[in-house]
């Protein structure tokens, strides 16, 4: 799959759920490229902002969109990576905030 195809597919499916790509398209394409690299490497779209261990079961919390996306966006307006943002941030109604790592330390390899 090409980056542009992934972009179009995710944009459509995620906007329907209220999640938008960051307005910084260069960042978005960099992250999507890294997701595709991880798919080639591990067989799944592991978060490019976290270390995956090549074990789908252990990494299931960081398969994009990760389980931390919803609480991050709800609290900070963006996910940890900055790939996805809330509608309010997308519409420039709020400012982006620093997003701390939610992944438990025991899951970080």
């Amino acid at each position: 799959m090409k980056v542009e195809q992934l972009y179009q597919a995710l944009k459509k499916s995620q906007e329907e759920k209220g999640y938008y790509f960051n307005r910084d398209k260069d960042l978005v394409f960099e992250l999507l490229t890294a997701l595709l690299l991880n798919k080639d490497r591990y067989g799944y779209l592991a978060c490019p902002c976290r270390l995956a261990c090549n074990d789908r079961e252990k990494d299931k919390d960081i398969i994009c969109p990760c389980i931390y996306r919803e609480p991050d966006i709800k609290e900070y307006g963006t996910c940890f990576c900055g790939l996805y943002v809330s509608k309010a941030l997308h519409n420039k109604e709020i400012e982006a905030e620093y997003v701390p790592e939610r992944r438990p330390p025991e899951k970080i390899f």
Side-chain angles (χ1 to χ4, degrees):
M1 177 178 280
K2 301 251 192 254
V3 176
E4 183 64 38
Q5 290 173 303
L6 182 60
Y7 176 83
Q8 293 302 330
L10 291 176
K11 184 176 187 324
K12 181 177 178 2
S13 69
Q14 297 308 301
E15 282 185 3
E16 290 172 358
K17 297 174 184 175
Y19 299 103
Y20 295 81
F21 279 136
N22 193 311
R23 287 183 170 274
D24 182 345
K25 202 166 182 180
D26 289 338
L27 172 68
V28 169
F29 273 73
E30 200 175 298
L31 292 168
L32 293 177
T33 298
L35 278 170
L36 290 173
L37 178 65
N38 281 346
K39 181 157 177 44
D40 289 343
R41 187 181 288 153
Y42 306 120
Y44 49 92
L45 294 172
C47 175
C49 300
R50 296 178 168 105
L51 290 175
C53 70
N54 199 22
D55 180 325
R56 187 181 190 92
E57 185 60 29
K58 289 180 181 174
D59 288 338
K60 69 182 178 181
D61 64 318
I62 60 166
I63 294 174
C64 190
C66 73
I67 66 167
Y68 310 107
R69 179 182 71 169
E70 187 173 340
D72 284 351
I73 288 177
K74 187 176 279 185
E75 189 169 347
Y76 302 104
T78 183
C79 68
F80 182 70
C81 295
L83 179 62
Y84 291 106
V85 300
S86 67
K87 185 174 185 177
L89 186 61
H90 178 76
N91 292 337
K92 298 182 179 180
E93 296 164 7
I94 62 170
E95 293 289 320
E97 291 185 48
Y98 168 77
V99 180
E101 174 63 271
R102 286 184 192 269
R103 194 172 199 212
E106 64 273 9
K107 290 200 146 245
I108 299 171
F109 304 96

